[in-house]
């Protein structure tokens, strides 16, 4: 796999097939942790760590264990266990080294375990990247690139959304539209804007 393909995979996963605005995965942390940019950045970093490592581990487990021993049907269970373990690791690290970020993320940190974006990327890598004829390291490289691009796209959108929401707090928004309603309208407009990138790659 060339660096051109690697860069293309990242850009495609980040912008064209954005996990939030195009696939509508990971909406819970997108709406819940985007009130402040500091929380959005912390959540983005946590999701990036979990998503990239989870994709590498799940791809390896599928290729070297599940497929080889004829038990690919338990892949979803295995992937959830891997993701849950990684989230626990992130939670322990943040609790020890950054208590303020740990408190600001609150309930949304353990919710990364059930973040369908991470599980969706792991499953999509098996569906779209993995093949019994593809060399292991080539497939792992591409799966990692897609996971990295997806997590960058997640971070980009949640940061942009949090910046807009902070601006909306001081804007003259009609009372009935304040809070979640205007946020959903903004999310819809962002989604339509990203639809304009479809078909570029």
């Amino acid at each position: 796999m060339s660096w051109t393909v690697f860069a293309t995979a990242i850009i495609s996963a980040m912008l064209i097939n954005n996990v939030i605005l195009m696939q509508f995965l990971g909406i819970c942390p997108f709406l819940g942790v985007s009130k402040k940019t500091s929380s959005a950045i912390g959540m983005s970093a946590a999701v990036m760590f979990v998503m990239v490592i989870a994709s590498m581990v799940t791809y390896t487990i599928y290729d070297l264990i599940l497929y080889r021993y004829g038990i690919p049907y338990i892949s979803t269970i295995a992937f959830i266990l891997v993701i849950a373990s990684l989230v626990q690791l992130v939670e322990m690290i943040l609790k020890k080294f950054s208590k303020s970020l740990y408190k600001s993320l609150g309930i949304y940190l353990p919710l990364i375990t059930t973040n369908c974006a991470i599980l969706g990327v792991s499953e999509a890598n098996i569906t779209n990247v993995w093949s019994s004829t593809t060399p292991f390291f080539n497939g792992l490289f591409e799966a990692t690139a897609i996971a990295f691009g997806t997590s960058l796209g997640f971070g980009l959108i949640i940061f942009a959304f949090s910046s807009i929401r902070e601006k909306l707090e001081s804007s003259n928004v009609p009372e009935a539209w304040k809070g979640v309603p205007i946020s959903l309208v903004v999310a819809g407009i962002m989604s339509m804007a990203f639809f304009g990138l479809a078909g570029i790659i």
Side-chain angles (χ1 to χ4, degrees):
M1 181 178 173
S2 67
W3 287 105
T4 304
V5 177
F6 180 74
T8 303
I10 290 178
I11 293 171
S12 176
M14 180 179 176
L15 299 175
I16 299 166
N17 298 311
N18 188 274
V19 69
I20 295 176
L21 299 180
M22 302 295 287
Q23 301 178 40
F24 307 108
L25 299 175
I27 299 296
C28 179
F30 171 64
L31 293 174
V33 194
S34 58
K35 293 180 181 179
K36 294 182 179 179
T37 53
S38 57
S39 299
I41 292 170
M43 175 60 78
S44 301
V47 167
M48 177 179 287
F49 175 81
V50 174
M51 188 176 289
V52 172
I53 302 299
S55 293
M56 294 171 69
V57 174
T58 53
Y59 187 92
T60 302
I61 288 174
Y62 188 89
D63 189 85
L64 301 182
I65 299 174
L66 301 184
Y67 176 77
R68 186 165 297 184
Y69 292 99
I71 50 172
Y73 49 85
I74 67 164
S75 61
T76 302
I77 297 170
F79 293 178
I80 290 172
L81 289 173
V82 169
I83 293 166
S85 301
L86 288 170
V87 170
Q88 287 300 311
L89 178 63
V90 170
E91 195 169 357
M92 288 188 294
I93 291 171
L94 286 180
K95 195 171 184 180
K96 184 170 180 64
F97 296 106
S98 182
K99 289 187 178 180
S100 58
L101 180 57
Y102 176 78
K103 288 179 181 177
S104 68
L105 292 177
I107 187 63
Y108 295 100
L109 185 57
L111 277 178
I112 296 176
T113 306
T114 56
N115 188 341
C116 52
I118 298 173
L119 181 60
V121 170
S122 298
E123 293 281 3
N125 282 336
I126 301 305
T127 304
N128 302 323
V129 176
W130 183 87
S131 170
S132 58
T133 58
T134 302
F136 170 72
F137 286 106
N138 284 4
L140 180 64
F141 193 60
E142 187 173 351
T144 304
I146 291 171
F148 182 65
T150 302
S151 61
L152 283 177
F154 180 91
L156 171 70
I157 297 306
I158 198 171
F159 176 77
F161 192 59
S162 65
S163 301
I164 294 171
R165 287 186 75 173
E166 284 186 351
K167 183 70 175 174
L168 286 172
E169 290 294 322
S170 59
S171 299
N172 186 20
V173 179
E175 192 65 33
W177 287 85
K178 285 185 177 179
V180 176
I182 192 67
S183 299
L184 291 175
V185 170
V186 170
I189 293 170
M190 290 174 70
S191 181
M192 287 190 291
F194 269 72
F195 265 107
L197 298 173
I200 290 179
I201 296 179

